Amino acid sequence: MRKIFYFILALLLLACCHRGETSRTLSHVDSLLRTDPATALAITDSLLQDSIRMSRAEQMRTRLYRGVARIRTYNPVTDDSTAKAIAKYYDSHGTPNDRMIAYYLLGCTYRDLGDTPMQLECLQKAAEAADTTRADCDYYTINLIYGSISDIYCKQALPDEEIKIIKETGIITTKNNDDFNAIKLIERQIRPYYDLGDTNMVIQLADSARVLYKKHGYENIAARALSIPITIAINRGQYDKAKIMLEELEQKSGMIDSKGNILYGLDYYFGYYYENKGKFMEGINKLDSAIYYYNLALNKHLYEIAYEGLFSVYTKKNLTDSIAKYAKLYTNVKNSSLAAKNSILVKQIIATYNYNRQKYIAEENMAKYINTQKKLLILSALLLISLCIIGTIIYYSKKKRHQHELKMQGLKAEYDKALLTLEAAQRDLKLLNYEMHSALEGKEKEVSNIVLLNGQTTFNSTTSTETIAADIASIKEKYRALIENKNQDIEQLQSNVERLHKEIKSYSIAQEDEQLRNSEIYKKIKFASSFRSGQKPLNDKDWTELTDLLRTYYPNYYSFITNNNNLSDNQLHVCMLIRLGFHQGEKCQIMNTSKSRINKIKQQINYKLFEEKGARSLSDNLRQHF
């Protein structure tokens, strides 16, 4: 008995030591989030590998810090389930700072998913969660939140709203006595005033911000504030002035390397610098240099800037092929009124190019036909057939994706409508119950009044009471039928909502499966599963890539197989291959082992995860977690 007691005591002490170590590690991670987020991400990933030994609070804080570290290391997410769980948890746990950070994390998640309305809603909730009366208020995150909101207003072409939110940020963060962010708020107003066309205000704000930056020792940030003033100078044809400002930006900002590339993480400045540099080079007639900077913009996916600039340069160079190419590309990405005004000219250029090009091809083909006769004709015919086949495949592939998207949109709309109908039916049910109880209470009061008025039971009072009792029975019967019918309606509506939810989920899973199967590592594994000669066995790097892929596309499944029972590498590999749909023979080929060995591994997994003997039921058991 004493040995059992000491054994239990040792386990408790070990658990306490582990908890204390986890708390210390999380405190260290918190201190790294701003200075070294990559290390913070690595530590939180490591902690979550052993999350089963952590308390619920430690698990959620680890996931919170991991999410923040992913944001600050520019790792986009493809699923909102984890961020939603974190926000839900901190709605009722932790400090106001925790709740604010959780909703900021959820907002950034929706940003990565391209859902701007949900991003804005979550950022607003994050802002509401901030408690500026507390001494530990996280003003750093508040500035990030309001900065993200102002970026949304900028992208939606709402400069007035952007100015308003920037000024509101200034009012909130004044208490923090943060000189840098106070100056930053002045600088951030430059962009919306430029969008409003108020260039005088832009110059005034830029000058004020630059003076204050230099006063407080931020020479590099002061140089970066020149971006939009440079644009204004170039637009005004003041190239000497623009040159001076560009040199200061390049020499003092610390954001541009020797090849003219913006350093990683400074995305805000990409468009301004590449566009300014390209237009400046155009203005001083260094067209090849302008092409270089417009191509840098193209590499950063700044298509509108790149295509407009390249179109302008090649027009000056009078290169017909390139003019037509970039005119068409620019037309496709330009959605402003300026594009509409220039669209006729662009179409004329493209039409002229296409006509001349087709004429040239026709003449060339005719000459080749005469020279090579039937051989070239057959080759041309085969090429045409190949192009038609490829075009058909691409067309039907796009059509299929479009139909899938329409189906998904229709399902979501039907699901939302079904939810609203269900909620309305539930409200009607509450109303019926309320009406019934009100009617019954009225009748009960009538009985009480009769007794009080007569003082004693008489023939008349008895008759009245019996009449009222009959009324009560009639009311109950009437409402019983109504309530019963309404309950039946609600059951049907709930069944419909559940059906639609399952359909939406199945469509989402199918889309994820398709994306995963298009990845390079999946194709490599699929090739390795065949019995053709030439395939190579998978190495550790391949398995690591597959693990990352599974974690990205199937986070819940990955969490289940990694956070429980300490599966070995081979056991994890078999779980992965089951989720990816490989059959027994393919698993043997991929893992370079026998069927009996695979069955043995499956038996071990089934017992560890589900406490079942044998391998036959493993796939069905795991499918519950797909």
Side-chain angles (χ1 to χ4, degrees), residues 416-426 493:
D416 292 340
K417 183 179 178 181
L419 278 179
L420 292 173
T421 306
L422 176 61
E423 291 172 0
Q426 290 170 338
L493 290 168

Side-chain angles (χ1 to χ4, degrees), residues 82-305:
T82 301
K84 284 169 70 174
I86 293 171
K88 183 178 180 181
Y89 175 81
Y90 282 108
D91 263 335
S92 53
H93 298 81
T95 66
N97 282 341
D98 294 332
R99 184 167 182 265
M100 175 178 65
I101 295 170
Y103 273 103
Y104 171 63
L105 173 61
L106 185 55
C108 292
T109 298
Y110 284 118
R111 175 201 63 200
D112 292 343
L113 296 174
D115 191 339
T116 301
M118 285 302 299
Q119 178 194 359
L120 182 58
E121 181 180 332
C122 293
L123 290 174
Q124 288 171 337
K125 285 184 179 179
E128 291 170 3
D131 186 355
T132 56
T133 63
R134 292 171 61 106
D136 65 344
C137 181
D138 185 357
Y139 286 99
Y140 178 82
T141 302
I142 290 177
N143 276 291
L144 293 177
I145 291 166
Y146 279 94
S148 297
I149 293 173
S150 68
D151 286 340
I152 291 173
Y153 290 150
C154 174
K155 291 175 183 177
Q156 298 297 319
L158 299 169
D160 291 318
E161 293 297 326
E162 188 179 357
I163 292 169
K164 181 179 177 183
I165 199 71
I166 291 170
K167 290 182 177 178
E168 185 178 337
T169 312
I171 295 171
I172 293 172
T173 57
T174 300
K175 301 176 183 179
N176 195 34
N177 296 321
D178 185 342
D179 292 331
F180 177 79
N181 276 311
I183 307 168
K184 195 71 180 173
L185 290 173
I186 297 173
E187 184 194 351
R188 277 169 49 190
Q189 294 178 62
I190 294 173
R191 179 177 63 186
Y193 276 111
Y194 179 73
D195 291 339
L196 288 170
D198 192 345
T199 54
N200 291 330
M201 177 61 81
V202 169
I203 300 300
Q204 180 182 332
L205 289 167
D207 289 343
S208 298
R210 281 169 47 73
V211 168
L212 291 170
Y213 276 137
K214 290 180 179 180
K215 179 181 177 181
H216 289 85
Y218 303 114
E219 289 284 343
N220 59 331
I221 309 298
R224 295 177 190 181
L226 286 169
S227 294
I228 293 181
I230 292 170
T231 302
I232 294 171
I234 292 171
N235 290 340
R236 291 175 176 177
Q238 300 169 338
Y239 295 109
D240 290 340
K241 184 177 180 181
K243 180 181 179 183
I244 294 171
M245 290 190 287
L246 274 168
E247 287 175 350
E248 181 177 347
L249 179 71
E250 291 166 346
Q251 294 170 8
K252 295 184 179 180
S253 68
M255 68 180 192
I256 302 165
D257 65 18
S258 59
K259 295 181 180 179
N261 290 298
I262 302 289
L263 299 180
Y264 183 72
L266 298 172
D267 307 46
Y268 172 82
Y269 299 97
F270 286 165
Y272 291 119
Y273 179 68
Y274 295 136
E275 183 175 18
N276 283 339
K277 195 70 175 179
K279 287 187 175 180
F280 174 77
M281 291 301 177
E282 271 194 82
I284 62 174
N285 205 33
K286 291 186 178 180
L287 300 184
D288 289 337
S289 295
I291 291 172
Y292 173 77
Y293 286 102
Y294 289 138
N295 280 324
L296 288 180
L298 187 60
N299 292 337
K300 297 298 182 181
H301 309 298
L302 302 168
Y303 299 115
E304 186 175 328
I305 292 170

Side-chain angles (χ1 to χ4, degrees), residues 179-452:
D179 292 331
F180 177 79
N181 276 311
I183 307 168
K184 195 71 180 173
L185 290 173
I186 297 173
E187 184 194 351
R188 277 169 49 190
Q189 294 178 62
I190 294 173
R191 179 177 63 186
Y193 276 111
Y194 179 73
D195 291 339
L196 288 170
D198 192 345
T199 54
N200 291 330
M201 177 61 81
V202 169
I203 300 300
Q204 180 182 332
L205 289 167
D207 289 343
S208 298
R210 281 169 47 73
V211 168
L212 291 170
Y213 276 137
K214 290 180 179 180
K215 179 181 177 181
H216 289 85
Y218 303 114
E219 289 284 343
N220 59 331
I221 309 298
R224 295 177 190 181
L226 286 169
S227 294
I228 293 181
I230 292 170
T231 302
I232 294 171
I234 292 171
N235 290 340
R236 291 175 176 177
Q238 300 169 338
Y239 295 109
D240 290 340
K241 184 177 180 181
K243 180 181 179 183
I244 294 171
M245 290 190 287
L246 274 168
E247 287 175 350
E248 181 177 347
L249 179 71
E250 291 166 346
Q251 294 170 8
K252 295 184 179 180
S253 68
M255 68 180 192
I256 302 165
D257 65 18
S258 59
K259 295 181 180 179
N261 290 298
I262 302 289
L263 299 180
Y264 183 72
L266 298 172
D267 307 46
Y268 172 82
Y269 299 97
F270 286 165
Y272 291 119
Y273 179 68
Y274 295 136
E275 183 175 18
N276 283 339
K277 195 70 175 179
K279 287 187 175 180
F280 174 77
M281 291 301 177
E282 271 194 82
I284 62 174
N285 205 33
K286 291 186 178 180
L287 300 184
D288 289 337
S289 295
I291 291 172
Y292 173 77
Y293 286 102
Y294 289 138
N295 280 324
L296 288 180
L298 187 60
N299 292 337
K300 297 298 182 181
H301 309 298
L302 302 168
Y303 299 115
E304 186 175 328
I305 292 170
Y307 295 151
E308 181 185 13
L310 291 169
F311 171 67
S312 175
V313 171
Y314 287 122
T315 300
K316 291 174 181 176
K317 282 177 166 282
N318 197 26
L319 297 177
T320 309
D321 289 3
S322 297
I323 291 171
K325 174 184 176 181
Y326 290 108
K328 185 175 181 179
L329 291 170
Y330 176 57
T331 302
N332 290 338
V333 300
K334 186 68 173 175
N335 295 315
S336 66
S337 60
L338 181 59
K341 292 176 184 177
N342 289 333
S343 61
I344 296 174
L345 176 60
V346 172
K347 289 177 181 177
Q348 288 174 345
I349 294 170
I350 293 172
T352 302
Y353 167 78
N354 287 338
Y355 174 79
N356 292 332
R357 184 63 177 167
Q358 291 301 324
K359 183 179 178 182
Y360 170 77
I361 291 173
E363 291 174 351
E364 185 180 45
N365 286 340
M366 183 60 70
K368 288 182 179 179
Y369 174 77
I370 294 171
N371 293 331
T372 59
Q373 299 179 356
K374 290 184 180 181
K375 184 177 180 180
L376 184 59
L377 180 62
I378 293 170
L379 184 62
S380 300
L382 289 173
L383 178 61
L384 181 61
I385 292 169
S386 300
L387 289 173
C388 289
I389 292 171
I390 294 171
T392 302
I393 292 171
I394 293 172
Y395 170 76
Y396 281 105
S397 176
K398 288 184 177 179
K399 184 177 180 181
K400 184 179 178 182
R401 285 198 299 270
H402 181 63
Q403 288 174 343
H404 176 83
E405 290 172 1
L406 290 177
K407 177 71 174 177
M408 194 66 165
Q409 291 172 3
L411 281 173
K412 287 182 177 178
E414 189 178 352
Y415 178 73
D416 292 340
K417 183 179 178 181
L419 278 179
L420 292 173
T421 306
L422 176 61
E423 291 172 0
Q426 290 170 338
R427 288 195 299 270
D428 291 344
L429 179 62
K430 290 181 180 179
L431 183 60
L432 284 173
N433 280 307
Y434 175 76
E435 289 176 353
M436 182 181 72
H437 289 306
S438 298
L440 291 174
E441 285 178 2
K443 292 298 179 181
E444 289 170 357
K445 286 182 180 178
E446 287 184 31
V447 173
S448 300
N449 291 337
I450 290 171
V451 174
L452 289 172

Side-chain angles (χ1 to χ4, degrees), residues 414-554:
E414 189 178 352
Y415 178 73
D416 292 340
K417 183 179 178 181
L419 278 179
L420 292 173
T421 306
L422 176 61
E423 291 172 0
Q426 290 170 338
R427 288 195 299 270
D428 291 344
L429 179 62
K430 290 181 180 179
L431 183 60
L432 284 173
N433 280 307
Y434 175 76
E435 289 176 353
M436 182 181 72
H437 289 306
S438 298
L440 291 174
E441 285 178 2
K443 292 298 179 181
E444 289 170 357
K445 286 182 180 178
E446 287 184 31
V447 173
S448 300
N449 291 337
I450 290 171
V451 174
L452 289 172
L453 289 171
N454 289 280
Q456 60 182 358
T457 304
T458 64
F459 175 77
N460 290 334
S461 65
T462 302
T463 303
S464 298
T465 303
E466 290 173 351
T467 301
I468 294 171
D471 291 343
I472 290 173
S474 175
I475 291 169
K476 287 181 177 179
E477 179 62 24
K478 170 188 172 183
Y479 279 99
R480 184 196 65 76
L482 292 172
I483 290 171
E484 185 176 342
N485 290 336
K486 187 58 66 177
N487 277 322
Q488 291 176 355
D489 291 343
I490 289 173
E491 287 179 6
Q492 292 178 353
L493 290 168
Q494 286 175 332
S495 176
N496 189 38
V497 167
E498 290 172 1
R499 176 184 63 80
L500 290 169
H501 179 73
K502 288 179 181 178
E503 285 190 42
I504 290 171
K505 187 175 181 180
S506 67
Y507 266 89
S508 299
I509 291 172
Q511 192 173 23
E512 289 174 352
D513 288 344
E514 182 179 356
Q515 291 173 349
L516 185 143
R517 281 168 172 74
N518 288 329
S519 65
E520 291 301 321
I521 183 62
Y522 180 83
K523 292 175 183 176
K524 183 174 182 178
I525 293 171
K526 191 65 178 175
F527 182 77
S529 70
S530 67
F531 293 90
R532 293 170 293 183
S533 60
Q535 67 265 41
K536 298 179 181 178
L538 300 185
N539 53 38
D540 292 342
K541 182 182 177 182
D542 296 330
W543 285 113
T544 300
E545 287 184 24
L546 182 60
T547 301
D548 292 340
L549 204 67
L550 208 76
R551 184 191 292 121
T552 299
Y553 285 100
Y554 309 127

